[in-house]
Amino acid sequence: MKMKKLSAILLSGVLTASALVGCGDSAQGGAAATTNDAGSATGTDAAPVETQDVTLKIWVPEEAVDDTDAAVKAFDDLHDEFNITYEIAVVGIDEAPQQLTTDPDTAADIFYTPSGGVADLVNKGLLLPITKDFETIASDLPESALTAVTVDGLTYAVPFSPNTYFMYYNKDLLTADDVKSLETILSKDTGAKYNFSTNVTNSWYIESFFLGAGCTLFGPDGKDPSECSWNDATGLTAAEYIIDLVNNPKYLENKDGVGGAEFKEGNLAAITDGAWSAPSYKESLGDKLGAVALPTANIGGKDVQLSNFVDFKTITVKSTTAYPLAAQQLAVYLANPENSLIRFQNQGDVPVLNSLASSDEIANDEVAAALNAQASKATNQPSISKMGDYWTPAQAFGEGVVSGEITKANLQEKLDALVDSITGTLTE
């Protein structure tokens, strides 16, 4: 194989902000050449391969920057046909789809996105089908993950981790029996400032009360854009529960990360969060850290299992990338078993690949077990394009509850407006 030079130019000081890396000389290699165990090439009669200069912009969450940088360098070493220059920028998985929609021309070639938004981006013509090399991991993916990223028979994203949240707790403050019920958690004298924290001002968290109570969003199968039952009698009961929760002195709204900070300081007994927070929580709490599925909640006099959205974290390629072949191959490479295991070890993202999920390292991990347990109790996040109309109204509703603007006195009116905003049934 040809030898490559790697040089790095750091922008704004350190990689946690961004990195620009130039990889390789433009030497050519043999198309049909093979390599023996000693590393020497054979098959010298093969036609030379022209090395393509490739420039790729990659968006990843901050915690993924260093691992992504190492993975792209390894990918470049494996591919003599590419001479890659790449820029890694910090853009969260939730922000990337909106930034792509707002300005596709300057958006990254490769970026993370939740599978629940894939169909909407496809309908807008913003995603490239992932065909090159996808077969190398397709058979290792669960059917649910494949379904989540397939639109009209084409695969548009590479899943790498189940995307949902569960509950962490402090074992010095709560027992394994305590954490089964939200009522028990809230009523116990833990000695901490707060007993429970979630984020009802975030539309990816507030749904657990409505769905747990039995409400539906876009119908039982998530495909009816005209249906949302959150303003019926069951939805009213669920919303009343949320109001009571927010007004409980033992509750802390986890806005802007205040709940996570209190949890790490030992001032909070339990918090809803995802596997991505495991490394920082483990660093702060050590053996005191516990992880379980979400608890039950007594909504309307019935103990119900809180049921949140579940989808998959994926890696996608924008449709207008100037280098579709390299971008597709790199997207698949970033989600292969080796990189998925590194991502789990360093970032806490539990792998979706069957071969890794069943391994001892994953199965014996308390956080991974909690994620898998909650995923089995969760509700598949709707992937229809109408889902894009859910996020902002649901967030505004939660913010209204926390601010006190929404009360039990005006709750039905506010729920009706919420549903109208989501389904688009309001008329002029």
Side-chain angles (χ1 to χ4, degrees):
M1 296 180 66
K2 66 177 179 153
M3 298 300 293
K4 290 190 173 187
K5 295 179 182 178
L6 287 176
S7 60
I9 303 173
L10 301 187
L11 302 180
S12 301
V14 294
L15 273 173
T16 53
S18 64
L20 183 66
V21 183
C23 306
D25 297 325
S26 57
Q28 296 178 348
T34 60
T35 303
N36 60 24
D37 291 339
S40 61
T42 61
T44 55
D45 293 336
V49 171
E50 180 179 354
T51 300
Q52 180 186 23
D53 289 330
V54 172
T55 301
L56 295 173
K57 183 187 294 185
I58 306 166
W59 285 347
V60 296
E62 184 172 359
E63 66 272 13
V65 169
D66 290 341
D67 289 338
T68 303
D69 179 55
V72 180
K73 289 175 182 175
F75 174 85
D76 183 75
D77 286 342
L78 292 171
H79 289 270
D80 291 348
E81 70 273 28
F82 300 132
N83 180 48
I84 302 176
T85 299
Y86 62 100
E87 175 187 340
I88 300 174
V90 174
V91 178
I93 188 171
D94 294 326
E95 290 78 27
Q98 182 59 48
Q99 292 194 32
L100 172 67
T101 302
T102 301
D103 191 359
D105 291 339
T106 62
D109 301 275
I110 300 171
F111 57 95
Y112 285 19
T113 192
S115 65
V118 166
D120 184 46
L121 294 176
V122 170
N123 291 336
K124 293 176 179 175
L126 296 174
L127 293 187
L128 185 73
I130 308 294
T131 57
K132 182 63 176 177
D133 286 357
F134 188 76
E135 73 280 358
T136 61
I137 65 169
S139 62
D140 203 11
L141 288 166
E143 187 64 31
S144 57
L146 288 170
T147 300
V149 298
T150 302
V151 179
D152 296 332
L154 294 176
T155 303
Y156 284 91
V158 188
F160 65 86
S161 180
N163 191 27
T164 195
Y165 59 91
F166 44 92
M167 189 171 73
Y168 292 97
Y169 71 101
N170 187 322
K171 292 181 178 179
D172 279 359
L173 303 177
L174 295 169
T175 69
D177 284 335
D178 292 336
V179 296
K180 295 177 181 178
S181 163
L182 186 48
E183 276 61 48
T184 302
I185 293 171
L186 290 168
S187 64
K188 187 169 182 180
D189 182 7
T190 64
K193 290 168 59 178
Y194 306 101
N195 285 14
F196 179 71
S197 178
T198 189
N199 193 350
V200 300
T201 56
N202 184 316
S203 45
W204 202 58
Y205 285 80
I206 193 173
E207 86 290 343
S208 64
F209 299 96
F210 290 100
L211 298 178
C215 296
T216 55
L217 177 64
F218 304 133
D221 60 0
K223 296 182 179 181
D224 182 354
S226 66
E227 193 278 343
C228 176
S229 68
W230 290 20
N231 61 337
D232 65 10
T234 301
L236 181 64
T237 303
E240 289 174 341
Y241 186 92
I242 296 172
I243 291 175
D244 288 339
L245 175 66
V246 167
N247 290 320
N248 190 313
K250 284 295 186 179
Y251 173 77
L252 175 64
E253 174 64 19
N254 186 25
K255 190 170 185 178
D256 299 325
V258 296
E262 293 286 5
F263 185 65
K264 287 189 283 188
E265 291 295 324
N267 298 323
L268 170 67
I271 185 171
T272 63
D273 210 335
W276 54 87
S277 293
S280 64
Y281 288 161
K282 287 178 179 177
E283 182 179 359
S284 297
L285 297 179
D287 292 340
K288 295 187 292 185
L289 181 66
V292 291
L294 296 180
T296 62
N298 191 272
I299 299 177
K302 297 186 297 183
D303 289 329
V304 301
Q305 174 63 53
L306 295 180
S307 180
N308 51 350
F309 291 138
V310 61
D311 65 353
F312 300 89
K313 294 183 179 182
T314 75
I315 301 170
T316 51
V317 176
K318 76 171 179 180
S319 58
T320 57
T321 179
Y323 304 99
L325 183 61
Q328 288 179 68
Q329 289 180 274
L330 179 54
V332 174
Y333 182 80
L334 291 171
N336 71 13
E338 179 182 359
N339 287 309
S340 291
L341 185 58
I342 291 171
R343 191 179 289 109
F344 169 68
Q345 293 168 339
N346 295 345
Q347 303 166 40
D349 286 320
V350 177
V352 69
L353 296 173
N354 292 318
S355 59
L356 292 179
S358 60
S359 67
D360 288 344
E361 183 170 0
I362 307 300
N364 294 332
D365 184 276
E366 188 172 1
V367 170
L371 172 61
N372 289 332
Q374 184 56 37
S376 69
K377 304 174 188 294
T379 301
N380 286 338
Q381 182 176 308
S383 59
I384 61 174
S385 59
K386 192 65 175 170
M387 189 66 188
D389 293 329
Y390 160 80
W391 303 108
T392 299
Q395 177 181 338
F397 180 84
E399 289 173 343
V401 171
V402 171
S403 69
E405 174 193 350
I406 296 177
T407 66
K408 291 184 180 180
N410 63 13
L411 186 54
Q412 185 65 63
E413 173 191 350
K414 297 296 185 180
L415 284 172
D416 290 342
L418 169 65
V419 170
D420 280 338
S421 296
I422 293 171
T423 60
T425 57
L426 283 175
T427 58
E428 298 293 336

